Amino acid sequence: MNARETILNALNEYREAPADRLFFEKEPMRFDDLSEAFATALEAAGGEAVETVKVSAEAIAGHFRFEGRILDTRESGEALSRRDGIGLVIVEGAFGVAENGAVWIDPKERYPRELLTLAENVAVVLKKGEIVATMHEAYEQIDFSDISYALFMAGPSKTADIEQALVIGAHGAIGMKVFLEGR
């Protein structure tokens, strides 16, 4: 037995048995109105929810003040090769989470993932009926076997330094709005 095996065997002798998996016996959060709870949480995160039935790029752009071009990733013919000067990117969200205002965004190779941080503003189109109450329910919706890149996004980019000076948009979009489609 070499020195490495001796050390590993000695460590294994003193290894504690793995702890049982923790289970929470707390009742999960419930909301009377998922859309309202989602909008409130998103606003607390610096974003905004807009209920609408019209989700054209022009209608969405009217809710933002920006310079630069609009990139609507829902349209297949959109030119994605040029990534500079994007004032607004429009993406689809798979589902939202009422407890924290987050939206699950999975580009699924339809557009480059960096668009979500390069654009000045992000507009997410989300079906109003696709909101779950908690992150526990959200994770049950995700098929992790088929993901190369995806994320939960809740509001614009935010960061603060040691002096506690909050900066919006330092590492991504300065504005985010979720357009809740449907009645």
Side-chain angles (χ1 to χ4, degrees), residues 8 13 22-23 41 48 52 62 66 69 75 97 102 105 123 159 170:
L8 290 175
E13 285 181 31
L22 296 176
F23 289 98
E48 182 183 345
T52 184
F66 64 92
R69 57 194 181 96
E75 299 174 5
V97 184
I105 301 172
T159 189

Side-chain angles (χ1 to χ4, degrees), residues 34-50:
L34 290 175
S35 298
E36 183 180 319
F38 174 81
T40 301
L42 180 61
E43 186 177 331
E48 182 183 345
V50 179

Side-chain angles (χ1 to χ4, degrees), residues 134-183:
T134 66
M135 287 298 287
H136 290 86
E137 292 175 38
Y139 277 102
E140 289 174 8
Q141 302 262 335
I142 302 168
D143 177 10
F144 288 100
S145 67
D146 188 34
I147 296 175
S148 63
Y149 175 84
L151 64 115
F152 281 105
M153 185 179 244
S157 166
K158 296 172 283 301
T159 189
D161 60 15
I162 195 155
E163 296 168 357
Q164 298 180 351
L166 180 63
V167 179
I168 305 290
H171 305 293
I174 62 169
M176 178 191 177
K177 295 185 183 183
V178 177
F179 292 83
L180 297 173
E181 180 182 23
R183 298 193 187 278

